[in-house]
Structures are given as C-alpha cells and as structure tokens.
Amino acid sequence: MTGATGYIGGRLVPRLLAAGHEVRVLVRRPERLRDVPWAASAEVVAGDLADADAVDAAMADVQAVYYLVHSMGGRGDFERTELDIARTVAGAAYRNGVGRIVYLGGLHPEGEKLSRHLRSRAEVGEILLASGVPTIVLQAGVVIGSGSTSFEMIRHLTEVLPYMPAPRWVRSFIQPIAVRDVLHYLIAAADVPPEVNRAFDIGGPDVFRYGQLMNGYAVEAGLPQRPIAALPVLTPWLAGQWVNLVTPIPRRLAVPIIESLQYDCVMHDHDIDEVIPPPAAGLLPYRTAVRLALEREREGEVETSWRNAEVAGAPSDPLPSDPDWAGHTVFVDERERMSRATPAALWRVIEGVGGENGWYSFPLAWALRGWIDKLTGGVGLRRGRLDPDTLHVGDAVDFWRVEAIERGSFLRLRAEMRVPGRAWLELSASGGSGGSGGSGASAGSRYRQRAVFFPRGLAGRLYWWSILPFHGVIFSGMANRITAEAEADERV
C-alpha cells in the first residue's frame, strides 16, 4: 500500500485488514502511523517512492500493490517526478512478480487538452498499465465523504456565500461518488482476474451540474438554496484565489481541483459492472452521501481528512536536537510558568490548542497571521484540527502539524505556514517540582513553551526581527492564558 497516510489510503487499510488481507504499507515517516488504530495489525516499512531500492524491498512477496499517491500540491516539474515514481513502482512490481496493481486515477473526458494534474494522473495510469503487471485503473471524479477535499469545498462554498457569483465551471456536469463506494471498488479490485488490464470509470448514480451539487448540499444541511450566476471572466487561477479565500481549502489543493472542473467529468461507460458488481445495497445517491458525511462529522467519527495531507513545500524534516544547532543561526523564544493545576489538567489544555479553542492569546494577531498565510497560498488557520481533544503524530492543527507527542507531557508542532525558514512550537507540562507529568497535584505543575525558528537568508532574519515586538504579547499571553485555563478547568 502506498498513500496509507492519505485520505483514501487511511480508510482502505483497515478495511483490507478486516477482509482478511495481510497489509504492508510503505511510508516516508512511519511515526505518522504510530497512533492509528490499525498500526499494530499492518507491517509498516519506512521508505520513499523515489528510492528504487526501498520500493524493491517493500514489494518482496507481495501479491497486490495499491498505488494511491498523487502530488495535488506539487510545484515545479511535478509531472516528471510523478512519472518517474510511477516507473519506479511499475518496474519493482514487475521484478518482484506482483500479481496486481490497483491505481486510483481521475475521471476525465477523452480527446480534451487536460489540466496538468489530470494529465499527470492519466499518464501515471498508462505507465502502470504498460508495466507487464496486470493493472486496474479506477477513474473517479468528485469523492463525497466526511473530510474529503471535494466535500469540504462544496460545503464551504455553499455555506459562506448566500449569493454565488461563480466561475463557468458551476455549469459543468459532474458524476460524484461516495467514498464508501470508492472503497468498495478498491477492495474488490485486488481479486480481479489477471487477464483484466485496463482503466475503468467509476461514479455514483447521479449526474449533476456543479452548481446543483452545492444546492443539494444546502438542502441536506438545512440551508436555503443559493442563487448561482456563472461568470465567464474567472480563470481557473483567479477562481483558485477566490476558493482559497472563502474556504479552508489552500490554494495548492483548490487550483488542481478547479482545473479539473473545467470539463464535464462523467462516466463514458459502465464496463466496471462486468468486472466488479456495485455494492449489494446499490451505489449511494449524492444527497445520501452528503447526509452520511454530515452525520459522521456531527458524531465526531471522521476517519481521515484532507487536513492531514502533507503541505507541498513545507519543511518535513524533524527539528534537529539542540546540540546540532551549533554553528547555525537560530532564534528561540522561551517561556515558563508555574501553575496550581495538576500536570494532567495542564496537559488537557495543551493537547486542545488550536481549532475552535484558538491559541489563547491576541486572537486578532493570530487571525491576521492566518489571513496573510491564506493570501500567500498557505493553509491558514481555518484548516482547524480533526479531533477537538486528542492529537496524534502527523495531525494538522491550523497551520501547524504535530511532529512529536509524548502524551501527558510534551507536544511539538512544526509550522506549515508560509515563512522564510523553518519554525516549531513546543509545549510541555511537568510536575511542579520539575518531575514528569502525572496525577499528583500537591506541587502543581510547570508549563514550558518554546518557539524555535531557523531563518533562511536575510529574509528569514528580517521576518523574525519584524515580529519580535509582538512576541511579548503573543507568546507571553499564550503562556499566561494556558496555565490560567488549566486552573479554571480543574476548579470546574
């Protein structure tokens, strides 16, 4: 399995395990899977898909390979990178005698000049089909499920604007498919006879214009239907900026989605039915899929989300240890506070930072920083977090990502906002006497907070010095409010 930390892959692995398969996942950072419920039941292998030796080793004794990776936010010559990786996977699968490759691609029209991202996905499928390994390419359009990028985009576009001045693509025909049904096809694809080597379109039972998708969401969410005016002047790039501003979807994800919406994306045939029959209960209608997604979100049962996708261009290397800083320029802001709250109460506040709870200091400054990030194409603060109370390694928290967590005592967040350098924020709770966190309350607790910034060139240094006057307010206020909140929560 490749892409196990992604939206589809993270849902597919536990279902394959439940179906009785043994699953091996190849990921660059295994610690991202440390806290997922199925981690102990799967074999987790560290490796990069660009490393041919690592891919070869991972495919030893494998019967089927799921290829579920795609650089939605890729920059520069991402197409070449995508094709090189596909060739590496195809070659390794052939050499290791793999019996089946399953690839999830994008639904697209025939004979059209495709966007870079749709073209890349189609070319990856062609490489895998020519690998000499029996391959099935499943081509899906808009995927509807709790936490999916497409669903979140429809939801926020509908909820934010009571009147919708929209680009021409709201008139395009779309055939959405429920994430449940995508998983059905993916699971069954592993057992398709070896003579099958082709691409298949998959989609739900409904075909709507994109504007109808938004109003279908409005009905299920109990909102008035939105009048929509299609404007011919918004290019995909301009529409990407607009979606970036009015929804939590960052520009790196919005632009490729919008580019794909320039076309009518509907199934050309239903040949898939001859190879993989639809689910016994039938394919989910669009509004039913929306209703189920909303119910799961209300019940806090979102398995995976676009929020936890890696941000292209953001630093992914972990924070070097302090001794490794020698000889490097590094800026640090450290704060420490004593609290009457227990370490456990203090930790609950630390683990709950971000999202609806905010950052406990100068909300206007944090909001402004979030808007600046959005305007420059970043993720902004509205990405929020998947779970309001619990964090795991790899989780997104607004424009941060959880890099390390020692539950009950230590949290390190890595910045994914647009900054000229690399930044981290560390929050920790310990016993008041300096010992480790626990339940003992007699000595209270000690709160430590550290912001670390590795500047990149002169721009990085100027950035740090420009925000230095605000640190006394933001970081000091954050330390004060977090310890006060812990004491208040404990009294309650």
Side-chain angles (χ1 to χ4, degrees):
M1 170 74 69
T2 68
T5 59
Y7 179 75
I8 296 293
R11 297 186 179 214
L12 181 58
V13 172
R15 286 163 175 79
L16 288 171
L17 290 168
H21 296 286
E22 296 179 12
V23 179
R24 176 186 298 160
V25 300
L26 178 67
V27 292
R28 283 180 295 177
R29 300 183 62 202
E31 63 270 20
R32 288 199 61 191
L33 298 177
R34 185 183 66 189
D35 296 319
V36 298
W38 49 262
S41 302
E43 181 184 353
V44 180
V45 177
D48 194 309
L49 286 174
D51 182 344
D53 291 337
V55 176
D56 249 322
M59 288 197 189
D61 303 318
V62 163
Q63 294 177 341
V65 170
Y66 280 92
Y67 192 85
L68 302 177
V69 294
H70 182 63
S71 299
M72 283 286 285
R75 296 181 183 177
D77 194 6
F78 80 93
E79 288 180 272
R80 180 175 178 178
T81 301
E82 291 274 315
L83 301 186
D84 287 346
I85 290 174
R87 293 187 185 100
T88 298
V89 170
Y94 181 78
R95 286 189 298 274
N96 283 277
V98 171
R100 166 68 59 193
I101 297 175
V102 181
Y103 172 56
L104 182 62
L107 192 60
H108 60 273
E110 300 291 342
E112 295 269 6
K113 183 179 180 181
L114 300 177
S115 68
R116 289 199 311 154
H117 288 268
L118 273 181
R119 182 173 66 241
S120 172
R121 300 186 80 171
E123 290 173 346
V124 166
E126 292 169 2
I127 288 172
L128 298 176
L129 287 167
S131 65
V133 176
T135 297
I136 184 167
V137 175
L138 299 173
Q139 299 177 151
V142 169
V143 176
I144 302 299
S146 57
S148 77
T149 310
S150 297
F151 175 71
E152 291 291 319
M153 187 165 144
I154 292 169
R155 188 245 294 274
H156 287 281
L157 284 176
T158 308
E159 291 184 349
V160 170
L161 301 176
Y163 174 75
M164 194 80 63
R168 286 177 298 180
W169 45 260
V170 297
R171 306 297 297 164
S172 297
F173 285 101
I174 308 293
Q175 189 164 2
I177 182 169
V179 66
R180 185 203 73 169
D181 295 330
V182 173
L183 295 170
H184 163 79
Y185 286 118
L186 286 169
I187 293 169
D191 297 319
V192 167
E195 61 268 19
V196 176
N197 186 73
R198 58 161 290 189
F200 294 92
D201 293 346
I202 59 173
D206 301 315
V207 175
F208 293 128
R209 295 186 187 274
Y210 196 85
Q212 292 175 302
L213 295 186
M214 291 190 282
N215 275 323
Y217 170 86
V219 171
E220 293 301 327
L223 300 171
Q225 294 199 38
R226 290 356 190 184
I228 298 174
L231 304 179
V233 295
L234 288 180
T235 65
W237 186 87
L238 286 174
Q241 317 313 307
W242 172 64
V243 171
N244 175 58
L245 288 176
V246 301
T247 79
I249 309 299
R251 188 164 61 206
R252 69 179 182 88
L253 294 179
V255 170
I257 291 175
I258 289 168
E259 286 178 342
S260 70
L261 295 177
Q262 308 304 306
Y263 318 99
D264 290 338
C265 289
V266 298
M267 296 174 66
H268 302 96
D269 55 56
H270 290 266
D271 292 355
I272 187 63
D273 294 344
E274 300 173 10
V275 179
I276 302 176
L283 297 166
L284 284 182
Y286 168 69
R287 282 180 51 182
T288 303
V290 169
R291 191 180 315 133
L292 291 175
L294 290 172
E295 288 175 1
R296 283 196 170 274
E297 290 195 347
R298 282 194 293 267
E299 295 167 2
E301 296 179 354
V302 181
E303 290 181 69
T304 58
S305 170
W306 68 271
R307 293 172 175 83
N308 286 352
E310 291 283 2
V311 174
S316 58
D317 295 333
L319 175 64
S321 60
D322 289 9
D324 293 339
W325 294 358
H328 295 275
T329 299
V330 60
F331 298 114
V332 180
D333 183 286
E334 294 186 87
R335 311 278 168 169
E336 185 174 301
R337 298 288 187 274
M338 298 301 297
S339 172
R340 293 187 297 273
T342 62
L346 180 57
W347 174 253
R348 284 194 296 271
V349 179
I350 290 174
E351 194 173 7
V353 296
E356 294 296 323
N357 291 328
W359 294 91
Y360 296 99
S361 71
F362 206 171
L364 180 60
W366 283 96
L368 179 62
R369 187 63 184 85
W371 273 107
I372 292 173
D373 196 52
K374 288 290 282 183
L375 288 169
T376 56
V379 294
L381 284 176
R382 292 176 63 195
R383 181 169 62 166
R385 46 184 287 168
L386 186 61
D387 187 288
D389 303 311
T390 305
L391 292 175
H392 305 288
V393 171
D395 280 2
V397 185
D398 296 328
F399 45 38
W400 305 88
R401 186 172 299 278
V402 178
E403 181 174 274
I405 185 169
E406 296 171 15
R407 202 163 307 283
S409 62
F410 177 78
L411 172 67
R412 179 190 294 145
L413 304 172
R414 184 182 73 247
E416 290 191 331
M417 68 191 81
R418 298 295 184 105
V419 291
R422 303 165 62 197
W424 293 264
L425 180 63
E426 295 179 340
L427 313 176
S428 65
S430 62
S433 60
S436 61
S439 58
S442 58
S445 58
R446 184 187 304 270
Y447 171 76
R448 290 188 178 94
Q449 173 182 298
R450 182 169 75 158
V452 180
F453 181 63
F454 281 47
R456 185 175 62 246
L458 178 60
R461 289 158 174 79
L462 292 175
Y463 170 80
W464 179 266
W465 293 329
S466 68
I467 63 174
L468 197 58
F470 300 99
H471 284 184
V473 177
I474 296 173
F475 288 136
S476 179
M478 185 176 178
N480 293 336
R481 287 285 308 280
I482 284 178
T483 50
E485 183 74 15
E487 293 173 0
D489 284 355
E490 193 163 57
R491 286 196 295 269
V492 172

